[in-house]
Amino acid sequence: MSNEGSRRQSSVSTAPPASIPNPPPLPAAPKPLQRARDAAFRFIGYPSRPASPQVEVNGRRIGQGSGGTARYASLSATQNATATHKTGLEIKTIAINEKGTHALLGGKEIFKTVKIEGKLCVEEVNLRTAIRSTPNQASGKPRSTYNIDIADVAWAKGDCGDYVAAATSSGRIILYDLGHAGIPAAQLHEHLRQVHKVTFNPHRGNYLLSGSQDGTVRLWDLRDVRQQASALQSKRKYSGQNDGVRDVKWSPTDGVDFAFGTDSGWIQRWDIRNLKAPKIRVPAHTLSCNIIDWHPDGKHIASASSDKFVRVWDFSHSDKQTSRWEIKTPYPVMNARWRPSCESSMPQDNGARQCTQLVTAYDREHPVIHVWDLRRPALPFREMTPYDSAPTDLLWHSQDLLWTVGREGTFLQADIQHAPKVIDRRSLSSFAISPEGEISFVAQKRRLRRSPKLHHPAAQTPNTNNSLSVSPETTFLSRSWADDSLDRTFLSVTSSKRHAMSKFNPSSIAITNEGVLCAVVPLNNIMDDKRSSVPQQVMITGRMPYHMDPDVFRFLAAKYVKTVALTATVDDKLLQAVQDAFKKNEKYANYAGLYLLSGTWDITRFVTLTMLKRRAEAQRKKDKNSDKQIVKRVNKPTLAELALSFLAEQEQSSVLSPASILPVSILTQHLGVPESTSNVPTPLARPVNSAKTSASQEIAKLPDIDNSEDLTLPPSLSPIMHHKLPDRSFFDSQLTADNLNSLQDTDRTDMVRRWSTQPKTLLSLDPVDTEGSKIPPKLQKHDSEESFAFMVGSTGSSVPASVASAGPMVSERPSRRIPAIGEPSDDAAAEYGGIEAARSDGDAAGSPPLTDEPVPVGQAKALPAAGASPPHEVGHEPLYSLPDDSQEDLEAGKPWVLVELLAELLKHHLKTGDAQTATHLLTLVEPLLPHTHPLPDAEIEATVFTYTETYAAMGFMPDEIASIFDKHLQHTVMAGLQPLQIESILSFYHDQLMSFRLFDEAAYLRKLAYPAYTAVYEDFTEDNTIHLKCGACGKPMVKGMATLTCESCHEKQVPCPICWLKESPYGGGKLMSVCMVCGHAGHAGCLQHWFEEDGEEECLTGCGCVCKS
Amino acid sequence: MRTLFSENILSPSPARAPPPNPFELLFPSSVSTTSSACSTQSSPRQNEWLTQHLQNQQRSERDAANPFSHASNAPRAHYSRRKGNPKVLFMGLRRSGKSSIQKVVFQKLSPADTLFLESTTRIETASMQSFVTFESAEVPSQLSAIAPDFDHRAAFSSAGAVIWILDVQDEFLTSISEMIQTAVFLAENYPRVNFEVFIHKTDGLSDEYKNETFREVRQRVQDELSDLGHGDRSVSYFQTSIFDHSVFEAMSKVVQKLLPQLPAMEALLNKLCSTCRIQKAYLFDTVSKIYVATDASPTFLKDYEVCSDYVDVIVDIKQIYGWHSQEGDGKAASETSQEDGGIGESMVTYDNSGDTYIYAREINDYLSLICVMGKGSSTAKRVLIDYNVSILHDALLQVFRV
């Protein structure tokens, strides 16, 4: 039969040559060095291994070694059984005969059988040559087929073992008898379209199933071939599909059942006796289901699809189901096969077989083959890349040997034991950090590769038997039946199990072993037994070192006093406020169990208070003799001037036209002049005299400032301004509401304002101030619930504080000033500009008298925020920093210098990543610092340059920039703190707050940072929209309150329950307020009236909620 | 001078007589109903098949006692006509996208413009003249197909497929129940009519959600049909969206089932693919970008998209240059051969190596063959490929001539 002439030696791959004659397989001697589990299995397994070829029809080949010991077989662990057979012609499909000795290769130009012995691959029957050399058909007519385009081949089993079937793309199935290869035994031509798969029943080898593109599956009986070779009819036809059947497979356990998968992703189980409807029908995939494969237990089936999933279904019942397990593959799966079962490692299985692995091959562009283990589906177990393009077909010869064919025309017998494990190339440890500071860390020890060679000398049985009926022991290549995925890196059994194993009585097992020899443990038993096999990994979850407890963080973030209401002079009120603030922080830190931190607060409090007291004293002393002291100072440019000069350099072609100067810039000019003049606390001046008067200073300064501003003012025409205009006009109508709301805002909001704004006197009730003030864009829409929530939240949390520390500030109307800086706009600004100009005129007019006031210190000395304002108008202007009234270093010679202490504290807390403490230290202490330790000049210049660029990029106008420098950075720099560092601290803390979802605190921090520290707020000034929330569905109402109807749920919204109007009759416009407890809302003005003037405490809807509390 | 595509593809002249339809030659009883191609108005002429059908139906009711028997001549004629002209019927709830699909696929409406479509109130038909005449009709949702006063014979007996459009972005449970009623009705009365489900408007949904919904709908419909005793009735499901190619692919598969020549065409394409190492071959209906056949290898939407886009490119170029001179192949890589009475062909490569390229060849006025070539069939083997394709060309023409 075999053609000796055409026999070709196949190339033998990389196995080491067996130089030593192999010893015959021996019963495994006890191996003391092996793990207990292996030893026990091999030991108990060996005596129970009878040569039992009739164990099970299907399990014969694969189940042959089921009782075998580990190393009896002809292939040792170190040998590589990889073998190849090159044909040079594209091979499309492969089939194996029942005994596993021969492969049948099919393709367009190839159709032959190959005998594989060990590593030798020899062509045996070349059907194609035989067909071509036979001119006549069986009936005697001339041969009509010259080319058969084979789509799939199958090798019959059992009695019909000599028959092979070839499915062709034309819809014809041709049967050949290998004994009479030249003439087709039969042609089965009932399918209209291409036949995708043919398969023989594993129990009755004469039953052939064929699945075709025409949506039918047909059953054929080969026994009919002998009677009616010419016109073989199909026995049964299973249709009902209107899309192609991609794969069809017989059930391995139930001889009458089969399953198929279709082009549209259905998989179905049928009984051959029932022609009408399938037993089970599942929409398994969204794309074409390319392959299905029964699990050896007969219960489960795997389906693989172009949609990159391999899913395993329980096909033993017809209930509605979803996939039991699934593997997400990286590419569309074209082929998938369960790996033949291996001995279970579970002691309770008594050596029964289990199968949890399958191999997948992908579409043409992805040549890799993966072996997956369902017990660890996220990661392929092994991978190999046999060809340049994906293999066209593959099947398992045995536990370890995978046969593949490819477009390159190479048949390959791959030893999967030698395929690299994916996990060996992966890092075995990984970690992740949650935003709350929790860390999860997974680690695993990589075991050194065990070298079995030491214990098991290579053993390969010389295989001389080349008949088809070789005895299984000699032809079968195996090294171990054990589950090779259990290597303790990928998966391993738990130690308790292995402990139980060691107590096994081998002899008792050996008896029972025989019964379950070939039984396959149902897949769900393996998979559901979670303990059976787990990746042995150590996982650590916990808090990061140096990371605060989130609860503590939240507590402190909410509780810490952030700022102190500053006064122009150091008086008892300020001292008290500072002391209170520090004490509170100390107390909260103590509550939180951070005793060290509370100590820090205590010390800082002490140092700060000492410093303040000293300053107060110095101030008082100065007050007495301030009139006389006149100091000549060296004019050193302030930061603002520096910045303006930088800007001027950038705009070299700035021709100042009178028209370009808008009223606003005039205003700021007005405001800016005294400030910048008074802002010259240069260290150079310091040693000259401790007390200086303002007069000389101002006289000396004024011309300079004017000059510099003249140089740099033109950009008021720049497009940014026009761009901003709409916003501005929008604000204007809205801000009254804000003002109203601010009336009820208490201490904390006041402090915010004071920190970032410059309120005027009570005059501020007029619209001028409110117009001029700018709210950070976040709060643009006042009809929104969110803005409201923020308001309410801040109010609520600050109520107690307000009671305690409201002080004289409560009644005042702070209004923002910074915004006014930022708002040179055409119309609106012109209008307000006029007013403000008037006001500033008033200021100017008022300032001469003010200078006459008894205490001209504030004016005389460098008052960064409001130079001209008399210090005794306490609280009329929120200050950004405590006016530095002492030019001399009051801390000289003292054990602590506050700024140095602060720097050290910052350094310490930053080292531990504690931005919270650092931030609060900064916000509390920084404004109180004296201007005695300025940064080095070079650093100042660099810093100013950096910030100038940043602000310019942010769209600030030059005068605004100057003002920012005046109000914020001047003090910071002069106090000896690096603004860049502060900015980074603040923005880091801000990030932390955001990650902890502490939005109130974050918003507050942004307010504090505005406008100096752009990094903190710049991401939050745009693209924030605020909408009303629908009370019914909770979605935002984009269209607003115009219709009072939610557009997503069409629920009618209830208007304000007090006035039932669109705008509150009590003022406040459309601003709504909501109780965070009961969720009932109303106009802020109405609620104000309800709670404040009517003195109600409960919710007005009568829900019983005591909203006011 | 012939160009790749006939010059009336984009500017169809109404005066031009439709070419003889091979199927109508087969069945002389069928009346040529092809109205002017690609016309969009719902003129009375367009409803010809309905009115005519009404007459036939009345006649057949006179003739035959059993209204569903196909024994008499008239229904037989209809059955044959149904085979001749693939006709699909769109059904579904209101605003589910029936008109949009019909307009986009058959009338080349831009998908974005479907936003402005009015809701349909009466049965509207459209037909598209191609190698066969595709007919489509839309049954508005307020006409319940199973209501007794609905003339379902007129609607269904000539239909080849009923497409149920299910808006996945809407509440689809009601649609499912109505769909099942319709499917059962069809299964009982018109078992020859294919029932297809378009799970529509899948654009913009996440993959997980989409696939989960797809699976759920399929399982639910299948279960309910099984409960009602029609589990053996096969229903095809497609995920579609008018904003990508999925609706065209789904329509292709629907139309393919209505073409009796499909196995023959497919076998030819299979042969060609295996001979010329073509990765994927499509036989396109040039006008509608519907493919009427493809080879049996697994289909990927990606391939179809590439080919479909290429058809667009060619049609666009034809529109600019096509019917003046042969500079119509303005594409660098395309060329026109003049042999064989001016068969048009062109190719374009889309990767650097030039190994994979697309090969287009006109089969007749309406059909074009678009192939994605694989490795090993480089342009150096053009002669062989051309030869093989010309054989396929002849064979295809024979298929349609029979």
Side-chain angles (χ1 to χ4, degrees):
Chain A
M1 185 163 84
S2 67
N3 187 353
E4 287 298 320
S6 69
R7 172 172 294 191
R8 273 191 281 173
Q9 288 296 97
S10 65
S11 61
V12 175
S13 69
T14 61
S19 54
I20 305 163
N22 297 318
L26 287 170
K31 287 140 188 126
L33 294 182
Q34 255 189 308
R35 287 182 312 185
R37 183 170 55 88
D38 288 349
F41 266 102
R42 276 157 206 145
F43 185 63
I44 60 180
Y46 179 70
S48 68
R49 179 181 57 83
S52 54
Q54 68 279 18
V55 182
E56 194 192 30
V57 183
N58 185 39
R60 190 176 296 160
R61 170 166 48 88
I62 288 164
Q64 207 46 256
S66 54
T69 57
R71 307 292 172 220
Y72 84 95
S74 54
L75 191 66
S76 81
T78 48
Q79 275 180 314
N80 190 342
T82 300
T84 54
H85 175 75
K86 291 201 176 79
T87 64
L89 302 164
E90 181 177 329
I91 308 172
K92 199 153 181 209
T93 176
I94 184 173
I96 191 167
N97 70 342
E98 203 175 0
K99 300 200 176 62
T101 53
H102 288 66
L104 175 65
L105 309 179
K108 193 160 74 74
E109 288 159 337
I110 186 168
F111 191 22
K112 66 181 180 183
T113 62
V114 174
K115 180 175 164 69
I116 292 101
E117 280 176 12
K119 295 185 217 167
L120 301 183
C121 303
V122 180
E123 174 179 315
E124 226 170 61
V125 183
N126 193 331
L127 284 147
R128 188 166 184 268
T129 319
I131 294 164
R132 296 201 138 209
S133 60
T134 313
N136 290 330
Q137 284 183 350
S139 54
K141 276 183 260 174
R143 174 170 61 103
S144 56
T145 356
Y146 289 85
N147 251 332
I148 37 174
D149 189 359
I150 295 174
D152 191 33
V153 289
W155 203 316
K157 300 180 172 77
D159 299 337
C160 304
D162 285 347
Y163 282 98
V164 293
T168 66
S169 58
S170 60
R172 191 177 312 179
I173 303 163
I174 310 176
L175 287 174
Y176 289 98
D177 186 343
L178 287 176
H180 313 277
I183 303 167
Q187 297 207 3
L188 320 176
H189 197 178
E190 284 182 27
H191 285 296
L192 295 170
R193 296 164 73 178
Q194 178 178 19
V195 180
H196 286 303
K197 281 282 157 47
V198 284
T199 178
F200 283 97
N201 191 316
H203 304 279
R204 289 286 189 82
N206 49 320
Y207 281 130
L208 172 70
L209 273 183
S210 59
S212 159
Q213 183 74 28
D214 63 7
T216 59
V217 172
R218 285 170 194 268
L219 174 70
W220 317 77
D221 190 348
L222 251 61
R223 286 173 300 188
D224 297 345
V225 173
R226 284 149 197 165
Q227 288 99 42
Q228 33 167 350
S230 54
L232 187 65
Q233 302 286 321
S234 64
K235 296 284 240 191
R236 303 277 163 85
K237 173 187 159 195
Y238 309 95
S239 61
Q241 302 314 305
N242 47 16
D243 46 6
V245 176
R246 280 282 163 190
D247 193 14
V248 57
K249 290 260 166 62
W250 287 98
S251 162
T253 52
D254 199 343
V256 293
D257 278 13
F258 67 91
F260 62 80
T262 74
D263 251 348
S264 57
W266 291 84
I267 55 172
Q268 311 188 1
R269 177 181 186 161
W270 288 69
D271 187 323
I272 57 167
R273 295 160 298 191
N274 183 1
L275 298 176
K276 195 152 166 25
K279 284 164 97 172
I280 300 171
R281 193 172 163 161
V282 182
H285 297 279
T286 50
L287 294 177
S288 151
C289 169
N290 291 316
I291 197 116
I292 54 165
D293 200 20
W294 287 88
H295 188 266
D297 67 3
K299 270 178 75 179
H300 297 88
I301 194 164
S303 65
S305 155
S306 305
D307 64 6
K308 302 183 184 173
F309 274 105
V310 176
R311 294 199 167 100
V312 182
W313 309 83
D314 185 352
F315 255 29
S316 56
H317 60 87
S318 58
D319 300 345
K320 225 186 261 186
Q321 53 178 298
T322 51
S323 61
R324 290 296 306 270
W325 306 282
E326 67 180 22
I327 295 172
K328 177 103 183 72
T329 59
Y331 317 114
V333 192
M334 285 296 146
N335 222 326
R337 299 269 180 165
W338 288 102
R339 187 170 178 180
S341 52
C342 61
E343 214 167 69
S344 169
S345 52
M346 286 294 94
Q348 69 270 25
D349 292 340
N350 288 344
R353 318 193 57 72
Q354 68 167 24
C355 169
T356 57
Q357 298 185 16
L358 48 79
V359 64
T360 56
Y362 305 109
D363 61 348
R364 185 189 289 251
E365 289 85 22
H366 302 107
V368 68
I369 297 176
H370 283 145
V371 179
W372 301 82
D373 196 313
L374 276 180
R375 291 171 295 186
R376 196 167 175 185
L379 179 77
F381 173 50
R382 290 177 187 275
E383 74 175 16
M384 54 187 266
T385 309
Y387 311 117
D388 289 342
S389 66
T392 49
D393 201 2
L394 52 82
L395 58 84
W396 288 95
H397 168 266
S398 60
Q399 167 71 19
D400 285 335
L401 298 182
L402 179 70
W403 287 3
T404 54
V405 291
R407 294 180 180 83
E408 286 75 12
T410 307
F411 163 81
L412 176 74
Q413 169 179 286
D415 190 339
I416 208 70
Q417 292 275 19
H418 289 260
K421 290 178 183 173
V422 175
I423 200 162
D424 288 344
R425 288 187 240 151
R426 297 280 162 162
S427 166
L428 288 184
S429 53
S430 175
F431 74 97
I433 301 171
S434 82
E436 303 222 330
E438 285 173 322
I439 183 167
S440 290
F441 181 81
V442 178
Q444 188 177 8
K445 197 174 155 197
R446 203 191 289 279
R447 271 167 53 92
L448 289 175
R449 201 180 291 268
R450 202 158 48 95
S451 168
K453 206 197 238 168
L454 297 173
H455 315 298
H456 315 290
Q460 184 171 27
T461 311
N463 193 347
T464 52
N465 195 344
N466 61 356
S467 82
L468 285 177
S469 58
V470 285
S471 93
E473 280 102 332
T474 51
T475 50
F476 193 71
L477 302 173
S478 172
R479 51 172 70 80
S480 166
W481 287 108
D483 187 353
D484 90 305
S485 63
L486 291 179
D487 68 348
R488 305 198 61 197
T489 308
F490 192 70
L491 287 169
S492 81
V493 291
T494 55
S495 56
S496 62
K497 284 287 159 192
R498 280 188 287 122
H499 187 63
M501 259 305 301
S502 61
K503 288 188 272 184
F504 255 73
N505 182 354
S507 60
S508 70
I509 293 305
I511 297 158
T512 56
N513 211 6
E514 216 144 335
V516 292
L517 223 122
C518 288
V520 176
V521 183
L523 184 61
N524 51 342
N525 292 6
I526 304 167
M527 299 295 296
D528 294 345
D529 183 6
K530 291 287 178 216
R531 293 166 304 161
S532 68
S533 50
V534 286
Q536 284 239 320
Q537 288 167 323
V538 182
M539 179 172 162
I540 299 157
T541 306
R543 302 241 161 260
M544 286 239 293
Y546 301 137
H547 205 286
M548 265 190 155
D549 183 353
D551 296 334
V552 173
F553 184 87
R554 283 197 193 94
F555 173 78
L556 292 183
K559 291 293 185 186
Y560 265 163
V561 178
K562 276 111 190 156
T563 51
V564 176
L566 294 177
T567 53
T569 51
V570 181
D571 53 7
D572 290 346
K573 235 179 281 167
L574 177 69
L575 289 179
Q576 190 58 41
V578 170
Q579 184 160 1
D580 283 351
F582 277 101
K583 279 237 160 111
K584 259 185 200 156
N585 289 355
E586 179 192 339
K587 188 179 70 183
Y588 291 131
N590 210 10
Y591 279 163
L594 304 169
Y595 304 115
L596 210 59
L597 192 58
S598 79
T600 306
W601 283 114
D602 199 13
I603 293 169
T604 320
R605 174 181 59 92
F606 176 73
V607 174
T608 313
L609 283 179
T610 314
M611 188 271 296
L612 285 178
K613 276 176 194 153
R614 237 176 249 137
R615 272 170 74 172
E617 248 170 64
Q619 187 180 317
R620 245 172 270 134
K621 216 184 295 167
K622 245 179 294 169
D623 286 350
K624 289 175 192 154
N625 49 7
S626 60
D627 307 333
K628 302 154 194 166
Q629 292 180 339
I630 294 174
V631 171
K632 288 265 177 190
R633 309 187 99 190
V634 179
N635 274 336
K636 189 170 182 200
T638 61
L639 297 194
E641 292 159 18
L642 205 53
L644 290 173
S645 69
F646 278 133
L647 282 175
E649 278 167 33
Q650 282 165 4
E651 294 184 34
Q652 285 169 351
S653 66
S654 64
V655 180
L656 187 62
S657 72
S660 70
I661 306 175
L662 288 178
V664 170
S665 40
I666 293 169
L667 164 71
T668 39
Q669 209 172 340
H670 279 282
L671 293 176
V673 170
E675 284 166 15
S676 43
T677 45
S678 60
N679 250 348
V680 190
T682 59
L684 289 176
R686 190 169 12 113
V688 177
N689 201 327
S690 63
K692 296 129 210 163
T693 58
S694 63
S696 67
Q697 201 178 333
E698 277 193 325
I699 291 162
K701 266 290 181 181
L702 271 168
D704 273 354
I705 299 300
D706 283 338
N707 287 342
S708 64
E709 284 190 358
D710 280 347
L711 279 177
T712 50
L713 273 176
S716 54
L717 273 185
S718 83
I720 303 162
M721 194 172 68
H722 301 280
H723 183 66
K724 280 184 172 178
L725 186 56
D727 281 359
R728 189 71 16 74
S729 54
F730 174 74
F731 272 137
D732 298 338
S733 60
Q734 299 281 340
L735 278 174
T736 49
D738 177 59
N739 255 346
L740 182 134
N741 200 38
S742 73
L743 274 177
Q744 59 187 10
D745 246 343
T746 43
D747 180 33
R748 191 162 125 185
T749 328
D750 266 346
M751 291 195 298
V752 179
R753 298 263 161 70
R754 232 160 274 128
W755 175 243
S756 60
T757 63
Q758 187 177 29
K760 290 292 164 186
T761 58
L762 288 175
L763 284 175
S764 62
L765 275 174
D766 68 8
V768 177
D769 284 336
T770 58
E771 314 286 63
S773 67
K774 176 168 151 193
I775 291 185
K778 185 169 166 106
L779 296 177
Q780 282 187 5
K781 286 196 181 176
H782 287 274
D783 52 350
S784 96
E785 198 232 30
E786 275 155 277
S787 75
F788 204 59
F790 170 70
M791 297 283 189
V792 170
S794 60
T795 325
S797 67
S798 60
V799 166
S802 78
V803 175
S805 65
M809 301 289 198
V810 174
S811 61
E812 287 161 15
R813 297 285 320 283
S815 79
R816 308 184 179 218
R817 204 176 122 236
I818 306 154
I821 301 158
E823 271 138 55
S825 67
D826 290 340
D827 293 341
E831 184 188 326
Y832 311 137
I835 302 167
E836 289 194 42
R839 190 190 63 191
S840 64
D841 286 344
D843 274 358
S847 51
L850 286 181
T851 47
D852 296 337
E853 277 185 17
V855 188
V857 184
Q859 187 189 6
K861 302 305 169 218
L863 265 189
S869 71
H872 279 187
E873 288 184 6
V874 175
H876 286 181
E877 311 212 349
L879 305 176
Y880 305 102
S881 58
L882 193 66
D884 185 12
D885 41 6
S886 60
Q887 292 302 325
E888 65 187 329
D889 191 354
L890 294 171
E891 290 171 314
K894 297 290 181 297
W896 297 296
V897 178
L898 183 54
V899 68
E900 284 168 11
L901 180 74
L902 184 62
E904 283 301 316
L905 284 174
L906 288 183
K907 207 197 282 177
H908 169 74
H909 286 291
L910 292 181
K911 220 187 308 173
T912 58
D914 185 4
Q916 188 174 40
T917 310
T919 304
H920 288 107
L921 278 172
L922 269 177
T923 54
L924 262 185
V925 176
E926 191 255 6
L928 305 175
L929 287 174
H931 288 185
T932 47
H933 295 79
L935 293 174
D937 281 355
E939 203 174 323
I940 290 177
E941 199 162 316
T943 309
V944 170
F945 185 66
T946 313
Y947 273 98
T948 309
E949 289 215 315
T950 312
Y951 293 145
M954 291 283 290
F956 285 107
M957 306 307 298
D959 46 352
E960 296 167 351
I961 295 174
S963 161
I964 294 171
F965 275 111
D966 278 345
K967 292 197 178 58
H968 299 273
L969 298 183
Q970 177 84 34
H971 169 74
T972 311
V973 168
M974 286 309 160
L977 292 170
Q978 171 56 260
L980 288 167
Q981 189 195 18
I982 297 177
E983 182 165 8
S984 71
I985 291 170
L986 292 189
S987 66
F988 181 65
Y989 182 52
H990 182 256
D991 287 350
Q992 274 188 328
L993 286 174
M994 293 304 282
S995 72
F996 276 92
R997 310 176 70 80
L998 297 168
F999 300 121
D1000 277 1
E1001 283 77 8
Y1004 184 73
L1005 187 67
R1006 286 199 294 276
K1007 270 188 173 178
L1008 288 185
Y1010 189 87
Y1013 303 119
T1014 55
V1016 181
Y1017 65 84
E1018 64 184 347
D1019 288 342
F1020 293 87
T1021 54
E1022 280 166 17
D1023 299 332
N1024 288 317
T1025 52
I1026 295 170
H1027 300 295
L1028 278 180
K1029 188 170 84 177
C1030 168
C1033 63
K1035 287 179 183 159
M1037 292 163 59
V1038 182
K1039 287 177 195 156
M1041 285 295 279
T1043 58
L1044 283 177
T1045 313
C1046 172
E1047 57 259 38
S1048 48
C1049 65
H1050 304 293
E1051 195 69 28
K1052 187 90 176 151
Q1053 302 294 311
V1054 185
C1056 172
I1058 292 178
C1059 60
W1060 294 86
L1061 297 173
K1062 278 193 175 171
E1063 294 199 20
S1064 170
Y1066 299 106
K1070 296 178 187 167
L1071 183 65
M1072 301 285 284
S1073 166
V1074 69
C1075 170
M1076 296 308 278
V1077 179
C1078 63
H1080 289 114
H1083 283 126
C1086 297
L1087 288 183
Q1088 168 90 11
H1089 187 78
W1090 173 261
F1091 287 119
E1092 298 295 329
E1093 292 170 34
D1094 293 355
E1096 298 285 342
E1097 299 220 320
E1098 290 193 7
C1099 180
L1100 55 93
T1101 56
C1103 69
C1105 169
V1106 187
C1107 302
K1108 204 177 177 187
S1109 67
Chain B
M1 177 145 321
R2 287 287 301 268
T3 54
L4 179 50
F5 298 105
S6 78
E7 54 211 52
N8 63 341
I9 281 181
L10 286 159
S11 55
S13 55
R16 189 176 179 273
N21 188 330
F23 305 104
E24 296 187 341
L25 293 181
L26 244 187
F27 306 104
S29 66
S30 68
V31 190
S32 169
T33 60
T34 52
S35 54
S36 61
C38 298
S39 57
T40 54
Q41 328 91 340
S42 56
S43 62
R45 239 179 89 74
Q46 282 226 312
N47 282 329
E48 193 178 13
W49 63 270
L50 267 184
T51 53
Q52 183 195 29
H53 193 68
L54 213 60
Q55 294 158 3
N56 284 335
Q57 178 193 347
Q58 287 157 355
R59 204 186 322 140
S60 73
E61 272 166 356
R62 261 181 277 120
D63 291 346
N66 182 0
F68 298 117
S69 114
H70 293 278
S72 64
N73 270 340
R76 175 85 194 120
H78 291 131
Y79 177 56
S80 62
R81 267 203 53 220
R82 127 156 154 65
K83 289 187 79 172
N85 287 338
K87 188 181 144 213
V88 294
L89 214 58
F90 292 98
M91 299 181 73
L93 293 190
R94 59 179 289 276
R95 309 220 42 85
S96 58
K98 303 180 289 296
S99 305
S100 304
I101 293 182
Q102 197 182 9
K103 295 271 194 303
V104 167
V105 174
F106 291 110
Q107 294 168 3
K108 299 287 132 214
L109 188 72
S110 157
D113 293 343
T114 58
L115 209 60
F116 309 113
L117 287 180
E118 300 277 329
S119 63
T120 315
T121 51
R122 44 187 295 241
I123 294 185
E124 280 201 13
T125 61
S127 69
M128 185 177 58
Q129 178 65 51
S130 179
F131 70 108
V132 290
T133 304
F134 295 114
E135 292 181 43
S136 69
E138 178 193 344
V139 182
S141 54
Q142 61 265 34
L143 296 182
S144 172
I146 49 180
D149 57 335
F150 181 68
D151 186 5
H152 42 79
R153 271 193 62 76
F156 293 131
S157 60
S158 65
V162 168
I163 300 175
W164 188 274
I165 318 287
L166 189 147
D167 183 353
V168 75
Q169 297 193 4
D170 203 357
E171 189 54 56
F172 51 77
L173 291 181
T174 50
S175 183
I176 286 183
S177 64
E178 273 207 35
M179 164 173 45
I180 286 167
Q181 287 178 5
T182 312
V184 168
F185 173 81
L186 285 173
E188 281 164 358
N189 295 324
Y190 300 96
R192 287 176 184 278
V193 177
N194 295 338
F195 195 72
E196 327 269 349
V197 177
F198 281 11
I199 294 166
H200 195 48
K201 303 189 189 174
T202 53
D203 48 286
L205 299 181
S206 75
D207 272 355
E208 287 90 35
Y209 179 79
K210 198 163 67 179
N211 293 340
E212 186 52 39
T213 316
F214 189 48
R215 204 194 66 80
E216 190 190 321
V217 170
R218 289 198 290 175
Q219 187 78 60
R220 182 183 289 264
V221 175
Q222 190 58 46
D223 290 349
E224 299 215 10
L225 281 182
S226 299
D227 293 348
L228 294 168
H230 295 283
D232 55 333
R233 175 156 178 85
S234 66
V235 180
S236 306
Y237 306 84
F238 304 94
Q239 303 186 63
T240 58
S241 162
I242 52 172
F243 295 100
D244 54 24
H245 291 86
S246 56
V247 70
F248 289 96
E249 207 193 16
M251 280 305 295
S252 306
K253 288 182 174 158
V254 170
V255 167
Q256 280 173 30
K257 288 181 200 159
L258 305 177
L259 293 176
Q261 302 97 328
L262 178 66
M265 290 190 284
E266 197 176 74
L268 287 170
L269 290 176
N270 277 339
K271 273 254 155 48
L272 179 77
C273 283
S274 75
T275 317
C276 296
R277 291 177 178 240
I278 294 171
Q279 267 190 20
K280 193 74 190 162
Y282 289 99
L283 202 55
F284 265 91
D285 177 48
T286 321
V287 189
S288 61
K289 291 194 290 176
I290 285 175
Y291 66 92
V292 297
T294 181
D295 64 315
S297 63
T299 55
F300 289 99
L301 190 59
K302 191 183 63 182
D303 288 340
Y304 173 71
E305 282 170 357
V306 167
C307 293
S308 166
D309 286 346
Y310 189 42
V311 170
D312 267 350
V313 168
I314 293 172
V315 168
D316 286 350
I317 292 172
K318 289 300 138 191
Q319 193 178 13
I320 299 170
Y321 302 103
W323 36 91
H324 292 304
S325 66
Q326 94 181 63
E327 76 221 22
D329 314 353
K331 207 101 180 103
S334 59
E335 50 190 85
T336 299
S337 63
Q338 291 301 308
E339 34 85 36
D340 203 5
I343 285 300
E345 66 179 26
S346 73
M347 57 177 67
V348 64
T349 175
Y350 62 97
D351 70 357
N352 289 332
S353 68
D355 270 349
T356 46
Y357 59 97
I358 301 181
Y359 176 93
R361 168 117 170 190
E362 179 192 33
I363 300 298
N364 64 11
D365 284 351
Y366 301 106
L367 287 182
S368 40
L369 172 77
I370 315 282
C371 305
V372 181
M373 309 300 280
K375 281 196 180 111
S377 56
S378 61
T379 39
K381 296 185 180 166
R382 259 303 284 291
V383 182
L384 275 177
I385 295 168
D386 278 349
Y387 178 74
N388 284 331
V389 171
S390 71
I391 288 179
L392 174 99
H393 177 211
D394 295 344
L396 278 175
L397 288 184
Q398 276 185 20
V399 165
F400 286 108
R401 194 170 297 130
V402 170

